[in-house]
Amino acid sequence: MSTPPDTDTAPDQRALDRFAAVVGSAHVLTGNRIGPDYHHDEALAGTPVAPRYLALPATAGETAELLAAAAAAGIPVTARGAGTGLSGACRPAPGGLVISFERMAAVLEVDIDNQVAVVQPGVTLAALDAATAPYGLMYTVFPGELSASIGGTVGTNAGGMRAVRYGVTRHNVLGLQAALPSGELLRTGGKLTKLSAGYDLTQLIIGSEGTLALATEITVRLYPRPAHSVTLMAAFADLAAVMAAVPATLRTGVAPTILEYLDTVTLDAISRAQELELGIDPGVRAAARAYLVIGLDNRERAPLDTDIDLLGQLLESSGALNIYVLEGHSARLLIEAREKAFWSAKAAGADEVLDVVVPRAAMPAFFDRATALADEVGAVLVGCGHAGDGNVHMGVFCRAEATREALLRRVFTLATDLGGAVSGEHGLGRIKTAHFTAVADPVALTLMRGIKHAFDPAGILNPGVILEEKVHA
């Protein structure tokens, strides 16, 4: 991405001095010292923006002091983790301060007895996975990019393929420490699996995309690592048959860790991109239009084999053209390839990626009607998604921006009319906020604005994200 020239990048010396007094002059950058990576995230749409200031705090206290200084100066603040987001939430506001958490990247504690970990926001999913593995435990939120930071996933309420069993971020974060624009530090929740004492501020901050408070410490739930796992891939003649097999699968009582669908275009794309050979019979490949991928695991091999047999019979009776049982290396490669579907879509020239969510039973209707909307304007929608929870991932191929934005508005309206929402896990960021405010319940928007003002009366935290607001520059 290239960044257009910014004619108003000169820092305010008083603000710069104040930031430097908090974190040290070596950890406050301005102008050309701020590299282009800090101008954007991985969103396909939108223009990168150069921040006026970049600060790298080392403690929660420093983060709170930075916010207080920014609020006093009326400088907008954007938090940044690893920059892997897909909706522009960490794209800076013009004239703003970026607070990057790369110096706050420690796993503070792995508590075996309570099965939790306490981490700083800059810790990556890969680092947490490595830290918990020696204890036979794992953090179960895997949104598809292990370089993502825990703080970033808290901001967007990230989900991923394993959400069908383990839930999304908000189901797996038990407590937070967060910095407020007042300069105060707030603690919510803790090493508790249940809580009924006042408003749940932990859940309010999760998914707020840096608009209410900045998480400086996160307590996450851990689960035992399974000893045995297998992946089933069933080919079907059409997507309706795939979606009919999903509730039937869940009614068996088997608890899959992964329940995904892929259309043939997406499977072919990720197979080429990842040099993946799945051994699909040519006749099956020619007849198939969609695939259902089911991940299973267990502590013991015998019950896992029982589940494989049960689901194999069910999928066959549901009209599967063929069923492939993948284990070990081949299973891992398929899941890794599916997790990289965004990069395959980007490489193929997608102009946008969507993560709308609808009730699971409404997915076939959504696909049919969304595809018809795209056909009307000569656009193409292809994709995959979390069949178990109704989260639809689509690559949008539509070069003309005005046409594409009009199509997206119609697709988001369709999802909302079907009982769904604009985003299931990527968040709104700066890319989808206008669409969200156009289709959201006005009463809900009014309440959200009141909550925003209570946390952030100066309006400095990520203005223009989630709620359309005037940028304080």
Side-chain angles (χ1 to χ4, degrees):
M1 294 184 179
S2 60
T3 303
D6 188 336
T7 59
D8 186 25
T9 58
D12 177 271
Q13 192 60 47
R14 287 177 299 177
L16 181 60
D17 291 344
R18 182 70 184 92
F19 297 152
V22 174
V23 299
S25 58
H27 303 299
V28 180
L29 306 180
T30 60
N32 292 334
R33 296 177 65 204
I34 303 175
D37 281 351
Y38 294 100
H39 302 179
H40 61 86
D41 60 9
E42 295 296 341
L44 297 181
T47 303
V49 173
R52 190 171 296 172
Y53 316 88
L54 170 67
L56 291 79
T59 67
E62 289 181 0
T63 305
E65 288 187 60
L66 286 171
L67 291 186
I75 296 172
V77 177
T78 299
R80 182 182 178 87
T84 61
L86 299 176
S87 296
C90 73
R91 192 180 75 203
L97 164 68
V98 168
I99 294 180
S100 175
F101 287 111
E102 57 208 81
R103 294 177 67 217
M104 295 177 64
V107 177
L108 302 174
E109 181 184 9
V110 177
D111 183 336
I112 302 172
D113 292 336
N114 287 305
Q115 285 193 199
V116 301
V118 182
V119 304
Q120 292 182 312
V123 171
T124 65
L125 292 169
L128 180 56
D129 194 56
T132 56
Y135 302 99
L137 298 172
M138 66 177 182
Y139 180 56
T140 57
V141 178
F142 288 94
E145 181 52 68
L146 287 177
S147 67
S149 70
I150 304 295
T153 61
V154 167
T156 60
N157 185 33
M161 288 193 286
R162 291 163 179 81
V164 67
R165 176 187 283 187
Y166 296 109
V168 296
T169 299
R170 69 171 66 258
H171 302 121
N172 291 281
V173 170
L174 302 176
L176 297 170
Q177 180 193 62
L180 301 172
S182 62
E184 298 169 292
L185 287 172
L186 167 71
R187 278 206 175 271
T188 71
K191 297 179 180 181
L192 307 169
T193 56
K194 59 196 303 185
L195 181 66
S196 182
Y199 299 128
D200 195 335
L201 299 179
T202 303
Q203 296 301 321
L204 196 57
I205 294 170
I206 295 170
S208 64
E209 301 186 60
T211 63
L212 301 181
L214 304 189
T216 53
E217 184 183 290
I218 303 150
T219 301
V220 300
R221 184 196 304 262
L222 303 177
Y223 286 86
R225 288 176 181 261
H228 305 276
S229 62
V230 68
T231 300
L232 306 181
M233 185 175 70
F236 285 87
D238 55 61
L239 182 61
V242 169
M243 298 315 302
V246 170
T249 297
L250 294 173
R251 282 196 298 269
T252 64
V254 173
T257 53
I258 293 172
L259 195 54
E260 298 283 300
Y261 78 87
L262 299 94
D263 63 21
T264 53
V265 174
T266 300
L267 182 62
D268 289 344
I270 65 175
S271 296
R272 287 195 302 272
Q274 306 302 321
E275 299 182 351
L276 182 64
E277 179 52 60
L278 296 171
I280 301 174
D281 179 87
V284 172
R285 186 179 289 275
R289 292 294 175 267
Y291 295 83
L292 181 63
V293 177
I294 304 175
L296 302 171
D297 62 37
N298 206 295
R299 290 188 307 124
E300 305 292 338
R301 182 70 206 200
L304 181 60
D305 288 337
T306 299
D307 289 345
I308 294 171
D309 291 341
L310 174 63
L311 292 185
Q313 294 173 30
L314 183 145
L315 294 171
E316 185 176 355
S317 66
S318 297
L321 302 174
N322 207 343
I323 303 162
Y324 302 88
V325 180
L326 308 175
E327 298 192 58
H329 184 65
S330 58
R332 186 172 63 256
L333 288 179
L334 174 61
I335 299 306
E336 289 177 355
R338 164 60 187 89
E339 289 176 335
K340 292 179 172 61
F342 163 73
W343 300 107
S344 298
K346 182 177 180 179
D351 301 291
E352 182 58 288
V353 291
L354 303 183
D355 75 313
V356 297
V357 61
V358 296
R360 189 172 61 225
M363 289 182 79
F366 174 82
F367 278 112
D368 288 345
R369 291 160 65 178
T371 300
L373 292 175
D375 289 344
E376 289 179 16
V377 296
V380 175
L381 301 178
V382 297
C384 53
H386 312 317
D389 55 35
N391 197 178
V392 180
H393 292 280
M394 284 182 157
V396 181
F397 295 81
C398 181
R399 189 64 61 190
E401 182 177 1
T403 302
R404 183 173 69 251
E405 288 301 305
L407 171 62
L408 294 182
R409 181 63 55 84
R410 296 179 73 187
V411 170
F412 291 141
T413 301
L414 168 63
T416 303
D417 289 345
L418 289 172
V422 169
S423 173
E425 57 187 7
H426 294 171
L428 301 173
R430 302 189 186 281
I431 306 302
K432 291 176 284 190
T433 285
H435 294 297
F436 169 69
T437 54
V439 302
D441 181 346
V443 176
L445 290 174
T446 298
L447 288 172
M448 289 181 192
R449 292 189 179 99
I451 292 168
K452 166 71 170 173
H453 182 75
F455 273 85
D456 180 24
I460 63 161
L461 287 180
N462 237 6
V465 172
I466 297 182
L467 299 169
E468 293 183 291
E469 297 179 305
K470 181 180 178 182
V471 173
H472 296 260

